[in-house]
Amino acid sequence: MVVNEKVKLAITVASLVAVTVLLAAEYRRRRRKPTSSPSSCYLHSETKPQFGFKRVLADNSYSGFKHLKKKKLEDGEKPSNSHPYESEITALLENPRLDEFEFLRGDYSLEMSGSYVWVETESELKKLAETLAKEKVFAVDTEQHSLRSFLGFTALIQISTQEEDFLVDTIALHDVMSILRPVFSNPDICKVFHGADNDVIWLQRDFHIYVVNMFDTAKACEVLAKPQRSLAYLLESVCGVSTNKLLQREDWRQRPLSEEMVRYARTDAHYLLYIADSMTAELRQLGTDSSSTDDKFSFLLEASRRSNMTCLQLYTKETEDFPGNAAASSLIYRHLNGHEDNSTISLDPPKFQELVRELCAWRDLMARIHDESTRYVLSDQAVIALASNQPTTPEEIHDSISQADSSSESAVISSHLDDVHQLTQHKLGKLDVILPLVLDKCLGTEGTCPISVFNYSLLINFNTKLTTNRSTPKRHKSLKRFTRKTSRDLFVKKFSCKAPVYHNCRIYANDGRLLCYCDRRKLEWYMSRGLAKLVEEDPLAIMLLFEPKGRPEDEGNDFYIQSKKNICVGCGEGDHYLRYRIIPSCYRVHFPEHLKSHRSHDIVLLCVDCHEVAHAAAERYKKEVAKEFGIPLFVRRVLDSVECESSAGGDSEDAGVSPLHLRTAAMALLRHGNRMPSSRREELLQTVKMYYGGRDITEEDLEKALLIGMSPHERRKLERKKGVSLKQENSSNDADANSFEEAPPGGDTNGESSVVGDDSGGDGAPELNDTQCKGNILHQQNSKLSLLGHGPHGKQVVEYLLNEYGEDGVRDFCQRWRKVFVDALHPRHLPGGWDVTHSGRRDFGEFSVYNPTKKVSTG
Ligand code: AMP
Ligand code: ZN
Ligand code: MN
């Protein structure tokens, strides 16, 4: 009893101790948590007005701005990014039409009436466009918002006719503002602005609106040599109206606008027609007063010329040789100069400068990702403070920023404090390492921040077009490396295998001899049908209960009885790999079934870099094949014999279109044809027309074009999706892949299936089709269909080989591709037994889907 009590007590004490220890550990864990938990982005709980925009013309990527294309390029014409209305504006410069325009007619009351028109729906905007189309002149001003946006956006357009003031809500109407394009580019309507330099390029940037025919009252001020050129001055001196220009800095995203803001906004446009009228009178007067009548100088013409010159400006996105570099350089310069005569400058100038550059680069990228201005993310003063103080704790970071900056710390900083912390601690490494890291952390597959129309192409745009001319080529190189690395990392993440491809499960014959290595699913297939018994659990192995015909080693097929490593066969990289087909699918899908069975020999694992090399070599070799066999990679539907003859001698590539382009164009037209800009639609139609020999296209043609070059499997997939039967013309023998429902799993995407000895990728190992390779990959991932191959080319080549040389021709062909692969990559890690001359001659067992007798019985 006593002993029993003692035991009880001991247990109780022990339990208490244990609980206390656990609680203490938990307590410590919880205390640590707040400072080390990963940040969640503020944008998940804050929405900004511009996130309602469906499209933006100028996004936050590093790539350049594309101007409106007015018409399709003529043959041989080079694509340009020039001003779409250059000739119209030049015509106005050469033949000014100012005399045609009267800014005021009839009765005019200068007073601003009590009412104005608020335009916020598409139909209201259309009505406004109709109204303006009837005017000879109207006045315009715009307000933009810039603090909480990377490039800034137009938040309001004020338009005044002699009768009415319109306030256009360009946030609500952002996606349909093109409705106003025609009236702005109409040379028969004169647009009056004051100081239009910014307005002109903002309208281009946000709406592809281009102003043709303008009278700028600020230019008139210049020509008249007025003492001041501001609108406030003109309002005061010409109209006797005062305005509070401080309102210019209001947040113009606000809705509804305050009464004061409405009055300010209307005032900026309302009086312009009156001011223009009075100034043109002055300009004319000055012309007649002037004694120099002989040199034909007209002040009015000069004002008009200067105004229209403004319209020739083009919006461009600012580019720099490295993100944030310009800001960093100027900050460092200003800081060092400002401190010239005292010694309180940071103790470690090189470190200070490095940190300024890192912070500026980080701030630039974060601003782009979140669509914020850089100054909102982190002010210049805060950058200097952080780089000088080099704070070590989050608290010190907060302190540095709040002391430097009068406005409070931005949401970007508070929700991404870890980054700043790591930057100031120099934990993120060199500059060109930091940016890809940050981009991936924010927008990668497990990114913390929302993807938007502003940052989407920042993420996917691999071809950063930054100017090389300025500054050091070294920095440009590192930026190139940055974008290359980013693209590579994202590519790897998206497409490399998530689990080992080779399970290295074994299959034994019933006499105990090893038949092959394969993946788990194949074992399960045999097991579930009672065709095999389990002989080992770890690693898995089964023994077949039937007699397989032939043994690999008797036939020189040692390859199949080698276990395979989950590494890149090219360089040995083990962290990521993709499946790579040595024999391109566009040919292989057309091979006779029993020759396809050797996929495991000709599908290898490659890392992204080796994949790229091998793929490029294969693409080059395809062109050689095309030339050698006279079977073009590009497709064209021959309409009649005349065309057939005329194109026979020409360059085969020029005569057609790549099936990929054809199908992408057809798909886009079918999906979005009626919604896309007419210029884009026309461009896509041309692509499809090229296939149909230039004739007009019907919807049915588009549907047919979708199928060009599609494998039978892909076609079936599409049919299933659409619930219809899409018969491709001259598709004779595409029923071939239908009869293998009973095949073991592990089949690939082309309707093939596997048998014993056919060790294909397990676990859905990713693989890229012919068009998914770098550069193309991110455009492809949006489309539901994979766009495979070169259409008829592959099929025709294989048919030719079979006709001329029989199956030996196909085997030779495979050897050529293996040689192309080996020559391109010099792979050092190919599995034992892998061989360029791999025969592919194998017998098939009773249960194999490739067994000819079986084929007859199921067919
Ligand atoms: P305004 O037509 O003069 O009202 O100016 C048009 C837009 O330019 C305003 O909505 C502001 O976004 C911007 N802006 C012009 N001047 C300034 C300034 N001094 N500070 C901040 N923003 C300005
Ligand atoms: Zn974020
Ligand atoms: Mn204004």
Side-chain angles (χ1 to χ4, degrees):
M1 210 53 189
V2 175
V3 176
N4 219 342
E5 292 282 337
K6 270 188 177 167
V7 171
K8 261 189 186 165
L9 186 70
I11 290 174
T12 313
V13 170
S15 320
L16 272 175
V17 169
V19 167
T20 314
V21 168
L22 279 173
L23 280 177
E26 174 65 12
Y27 177 66
R28 277 199 300 274
R29 199 175 64 78
R30 286 193 187 189
R31 265 185 50 132
R32 266 202 308 273
K33 224 176 163 192
T35 50
S36 61
S37 75
S39 63
S40 175
C41 184
Y42 69 103
L43 285 181
H44 292 296
S45 48
E46 179 181 342
T47 121
K48 300 197 289 175
Q50 68 264 42
F51 289 157
F53 300 170
K54 289 210 176 65
R55 285 173 295 272
V56 288
L57 298 169
D59 65 24
N60 299 348
S61 70
Y62 292 97
S63 56
F65 181 77
K66 289 202 185 77
H67 279 280
L68 179 73
K69 297 261 174 301
K70 232 173 35 176
K71 50 180 190 288
K72 229 209 130 274
L73 293 181
E74 304 281 312
D75 275 350
E77 202 178 333
K78 271 185 281 166
S80 74
N81 205 23
S82 58
H83 197 301
Y85 294 91
E86 190 175 337
S87 57
E88 286 84 348
I89 295 169
T90 318
L92 279 174
L93 289 172
E94 282 160 9
N95 297 304
R97 300 171 50 182
L98 211 53
D99 285 331
E100 292 172 33
F101 296 98
E102 279 194 326
F103 293 107
L104 296 174
R105 58 193 138 73
D107 283 345
Y108 179 75
S109 146
L110 187 60
E111 299 295 288
M112 210 158 73
S113 75
S115 66
Y116 64 96
V117 184
W118 179 255
V119 180
E120 65 174 354
T121 68
E122 194 172 340
S123 59
E124 287 164 357
L125 187 64
K126 282 182 177 152
K127 233 173 92 195
L128 171 61
E130 283 165 23
T131 305
L132 295 177
K134 290 181 209 131
E135 297 288 331
K136 290 296 278 176
V137 295
F138 61 84
V140 189
D141 185 42
T142 71
E143 305 301 324
Q144 85 148 359
H145 178 78
S146 58
L147 180 65
R148 304 296 308 274
S149 151
F150 185 69
L151 295 170
F153 59 87
T154 308
L156 189 73
I157 297 184
Q158 307 99 285
I159 294 178
S160 292
T161 63
Q162 188 171 321
E163 281 78 32
E164 283 170 298
D165 297 331
F166 300 89
L167 298 184
V168 182
D169 182 347
T170 52
I171 297 177
L173 294 168
H174 178 270
D175 296 322
V176 293
M177 282 302 293
S178 58
I179 291 170
L180 290 185
R181 224 176 262 156
V183 289
F184 275 95
S185 61
N186 186 344
D188 299 328
I189 305 173
C190 181
K191 275 70 63 176
V192 181
F193 283 75
H194 179 88
D197 299 70
N198 285 331
D199 305 88
V200 160
I201 59 171
W202 290 340
L203 291 172
Q204 295 176 5
R205 176 195 64 195
D206 294 344
F207 316 119
H208 270 173
I209 286 179
Y210 295 82
V211 185
V212 178
N213 193 350
M214 171 196 289
F215 187 77
D216 186 336
T217 50
K219 298 293 180 212
C221 275
E222 272 176 36
V223 176
L224 288 168
K226 294 265 175 189
Q228 283 183 49
R229 269 149 226 190
S230 70
L231 180 63
Y233 166 78
L234 289 177
L235 285 170
E236 195 81 59
S237 61
V238 180
C239 312
V241 170
S242 65
T243 181
N244 177 8
K245 267 289 160 190
L246 285 176
L247 279 144
Q248 161 182 76
R249 294 150 180 255
E250 283 294 306
D251 183 348
W252 289 98
R253 303 173 300 171
Q254 177 179 327
R255 296 293 180 272
L257 293 173
S258 70
E259 225 173 278
E260 219 187 352
M261 288 164 83
V262 168
R263 188 169 348 101
Y264 170 85
R266 286 180 66 188
T267 303
D268 269 0
H270 178 85
Y271 298 95
L272 285 181
L273 292 179
Y274 184 83
I275 292 172
D277 186 67
S278 113
M279 291 186 97
T280 45
E282 262 187 78
L283 287 161
R284 283 201 180 92
Q285 187 61 39
L286 198 61
T288 43
D289 289 354
S290 162
S291 52
S292 56
T293 39
D294 47 313
D295 62 80
K296 279 193 200 133
F297 182 83
S298 158
F299 292 91
L300 185 57
L301 287 187
E302 180 58 15
S304 157
R305 198 189 59 81
R306 289 191 196 179
S307 301
N308 281 316
M309 287 293 285
T310 312
C311 301
L312 277 178
Q313 289 183 104
L314 278 176
Y315 173 72
T316 51
K317 278 205 226 168
E318 271 173 41
T319 55
E320 46 187 344
D321 41 9
F322 198 88
N325 196 37
S329 298
S330 106
L331 265 181
I332 291 167
Y333 177 83
R334 274 186 286 152
H335 186 68
L336 295 186
N337 278 334
H339 286 80
E340 237 162 20
D341 44 19
N342 71 48
S343 51
T344 59
I345 183 170
S346 155
L347 296 172
D348 186 356
K351 219 172 202 137
F352 166 82
Q353 293 195 18
E354 198 187 320
L355 202 46
V356 169
R357 290 197 187 281
E358 285 171 8
L359 286 164
C360 285
W362 178 82
R363 156 177 100 161
D364 181 88
L365 189 59
M366 289 304 263
R368 289 169 191 268
I369 289 170
H370 298 88
D371 198 39
E372 302 284 6
S373 61
T374 50
R375 92 191 127 99
Y376 173 77
V377 175
L378 196 61
S379 71
D380 286 354
Q381 299 88 305
V383 171
I384 294 293
L386 288 172
S388 313
N389 303 347
Q390 302 185 10
T392 51
T393 65
E395 288 72 29
E396 285 176 30
I397 294 173
H398 291 303
D399 289 348
S400 285
I401 294 174
S402 62
Q403 276 161 24
D405 209 338
S406 50
S407 51
S408 58
E409 183 183 280
S410 75
V412 185
I413 296 288
S414 23
S415 72
H416 293 283
L417 193 72
D418 312 8
D419 282 1
V420 186
H421 191 209
Q422 287 175 317
L423 274 177
T424 51
Q425 298 301 292
H426 298 280
K427 278 196 185 136
L428 290 177
K430 288 261 173 281
L431 203 48
D432 51 343
V433 178
I434 297 174
L435 297 183
L437 264 178
V438 170
L439 185 62
D440 187 50
K441 220 170 122 187
C442 292
L443 300 178
T445 31
E446 275 139 46
T448 49
C449 315
I451 303 234
S452 68
V453 290
F454 297 96
N455 63 31
Y456 179 68
S457 79
L458 179 69
L459 179 67
I460 66 158
N461 207 335
F462 298 166
N463 317 314
T464 303
K465 292 165 206 125
L466 283 168
T467 49
T468 42
N469 45 13
R470 275 181 299 128
S471 183
T472 55
K474 212 172 118 203
R475 276 204 177 270
H476 181 68
K477 262 205 191 120
S478 63
L479 181 69
K480 263 196 164 159
R481 239 184 293 127
F482 152 62
T483 45
R484 263 193 71 84
K485 192 180 174 319
T486 312
S487 74
R488 183 184 179 281
D489 291 350
L490 293 169
F491 187 89
V492 167
K493 205 164 197 174
K494 184 140 186 68
F495 288 98
S496 64
C497 307
K498 305 280 181 296
V501 171
Y502 300 120
H503 298 151
N504 286 316
C505 299
R506 286 155 301 158
I507 298 182
Y508 290 97
N510 50 6
D511 59 1
R513 284 166 75 185
L514 181 61
L515 284 172
C516 67
Y517 281 89
C518 64
D519 67 52
R520 206 174 293 122
R521 286 184 304 164
K522 196 169 298 145
L523 293 201
E524 282 158 11
W525 187 86
Y526 282 108
M527 292 292 289
S528 68
R529 281 159 185 78
L531 295 170
K533 66 173 185 196
L534 194 67
V535 292
E536 224 179 294
E537 294 218 16
D538 191 23
L540 275 174
I542 56 167
M543 182 183 281
L544 297 182
L545 296 174
F546 58 92
E547 172 58 29
K549 212 161 170 228
R551 301 295 153 86
E553 65 268 56
D554 299 341
E555 298 153 14
N557 280 326
D558 298 2
F559 174 79
Y560 296 103
I561 53 170
Q562 309 285 328
S563 76
K564 293 184 196 78
K565 290 190 185 133
N566 287 297
I567 56 170
C568 166
V569 300
C571 64
E573 159 84 60
D575 283 347
H576 78 271
Y577 30 78
L578 309 143
R579 294 205 304 168
Y580 178 77
R581 295 167 177 282
I582 294 171
I583 295 146
S585 305
C586 69
Y587 306 113
R588 245 203 34 238
V589 289
H590 302 292
F591 285 3
E593 286 306 320
H594 57 282
L595 291 181
K596 274 194 223 171
S597 71
H598 294 272
R599 310 187 295 138
S600 74
H601 185 271
D602 294 325
I603 297 179
V604 291
L605 298 185
L606 291 181
C607 72
V608 165
D609 302 291
C610 292
H611 197 287
E612 208 180 342
V613 173
H615 178 77
E619 287 301 301
R620 278 195 303 276
Y621 196 67
K622 268 188 201 166
K623 285 191 186 148
E624 279 180 41
V625 169
K627 231 187 259 160
E628 179 184 336
F629 292 76
I631 300 171
L633 285 169
F634 294 85
V635 291
R636 181 184 193 202
R637 212 174 101 93
V638 177
L639 291 174
D640 54 46
S641 53
V642 180
E643 268 174 333
C644 186
E645 263 163 39
S646 67
S647 67
D651 184 345
S652 56
E653 295 198 6
D654 285 349
V657 53
S658 107
L660 170 65
H661 284 140
L662 176 63
R663 282 158 55 183
T664 322
M667 183 131 47
L669 285 167
L670 281 169
R671 283 214 198 129
H672 317 291
N674 41 11
R675 269 176 292 146
M676 61 176 64
S678 60
S679 58
R680 176 73 185 141
R681 188 170 54 239
E682 193 48 39
E683 206 175 297
L684 294 174
L685 273 174
Q686 285 303 327
T687 304
V688 181
K689 277 183 183 176
M690 241 199 283
Y691 174 71
Y692 288 106
R695 72 164 161 82
D696 282 343
I697 305 298
T698 65
E699 177 138 349
E700 202 189 339
D701 292 331
L702 292 179
E703 299 240 333
K704 277 184 193 149
L706 264 189
L707 304 177
I708 305 304
M710 217 178 251
S711 72
H713 174 76
E714 283 178 304
R715 207 151 58 227
R716 277 198 306 280
K717 233 162 67 181
L718 182 65
E719 280 176 4
R720 267 201 301 277
K721 217 180 102 202
K722 299 190 71 175
V724 290
S725 168
L726 299 162
K727 270 279 155 271
Q728 191 186 28
E729 280 166 52
N730 73 27
S731 66
S732 48
N733 52 351
D734 57 354
D736 48 11
N738 288 335
S739 47
F740 304 120
E741 280 100 54
E742 277 297 284
D748 66 12
T749 53
N750 291 314
E752 299 178 23
S753 42
S754 350
V755 286
V756 173
D758 187 359
D759 182 358
S760 66
D763 290 8
E767 161 183 19
L768 304 178
N769 68 35
D770 290 4
T771 54
Q772 262 178 329
C773 290
K774 280 227 171 151
N776 244 334
I777 194 148
L778 282 143
H779 296 290
Q780 299 305 317
Q781 76 188 40
N782 284 332
S783 102
K784 296 282 178 293
L785 289 166
S786 76
L787 297 160
L788 177 91
H790 295 286
H793 167 82
K795 189 171 179 191
Q796 286 169 11
V797 167
V798 175
E799 273 169 8
Y800 174 83
L801 288 169
L802 286 170
N803 286 341
E804 291 291 310
Y805 312 103
E807 288 183 4
D808 283 342
V810 174
R811 283 191 196 95
D812 275 357
F813 191 64
C814 290
Q815 292 190 11
R816 284 163 67 167
W817 281 103
R818 292 187 199 113
K819 199 164 164 345
V820 168
F821 173 72
V822 170
D823 288 349
L825 216 56
H826 303 291
R828 287 176 286 130
H829 300 272
L830 279 166
W834 194 94
D835 187 3
V836 168
T837 62
H838 182 72
S839 78
R841 225 185 285 279
R842 295 192 70 199
D843 280 334
F844 297 100
E846 195 178 344
F847 293 91
S848 166
V849 287
Y850 298 121
N851 187 326
T853 45
K854 184 181 173 189
K855 199 159 189 184
V856 170
S857 68
T858 52

